[in-house]
Amino acid sequence: MTAPWTAGEDPQVYPIARSGDLVHIRQAIRALSQKCRLSLVDQTKMITAASELARNTLIYGGGGTVSCGLVSANGKRGVAAVFEDSGPGIPDVEQAMTDGWTSGGGLGLGLSGARRLVDDFRLVTAPGEGTTVTIIKWVR
């Protein structure tokens, strides 16, 4: 899955540099989800997944950016968000995607929980090269 931005629409880009940025990201994802007409349940799932990934970007990636916007493919429309950092990367993706595993003091639901909440999830990472996570929630 590549960043599937709808032709003619540029994604909104937000910094993830401090905890206050997480509030702005949740608000942006909420506005996009409403504009796309996701159901209330799907809006909540997308906002929750984005919040978890933004928090991971800040805490584990040392900060970064999120690009978010409306997308369309095969007659479907949705909301996408791409989280990018230049942090240390994830040395063991399989372990990081395991429910309950955490490298910090959290609940260990960040990556695996975010994956379950969205329709499309892509993780690209390498030790020393940072991490990029792309998520999409489609209108049903």
Side-chain angles (χ1 to χ4, degrees), residues 24-106:
H24 299 296
I25 292 164
R26 283 193 297 268
Q27 291 169 340
I29 295 294
R30 173 176 280 114
L32 286 166
S33 297
Q34 290 171 341
K35 182 177 180 180
C36 189
R37 298 187 182 204
L38 288 175
S39 70
L40 187 56
V41 169
D42 285 344
Q43 288 179 39
T44 302
K45 288 179 178 181
M46 184 65 179
I47 294 162
T48 301
S51 183
E52 284 293 316
L53 294 171
R55 182 180 169 279
N56 283 358
T57 300
L58 179 63
I59 293 172
Y60 303 113
T65 61
V66 60
S67 302
C68 52
L70 301 179
V71 294
S72 63
N74 303 320
K76 299 186 296 184
R77 68 185 194 284
V79 177
V82 180
F83 297 84
E84 297 180 275
D85 69 58
S86 299
I90 301 170
D92 187 340
V93 172
E94 186 176 331
Q95 182 182 40
M97 293 300 295
T98 302
D99 285 346
W101 184 84
T102 178
S103 63

Side-chain angles (χ1 to χ4, degrees), residues 2 13 24 33 37 49 60-61 67 78 80 104 109 117 125-126 128 131 133:
T2 59
V13 180
H24 299 296
S33 297
R37 298 187 182 204
Y60 303 113
S67 302
L109 299 175
L117 291 170
T125 187
T131 301
V133 180

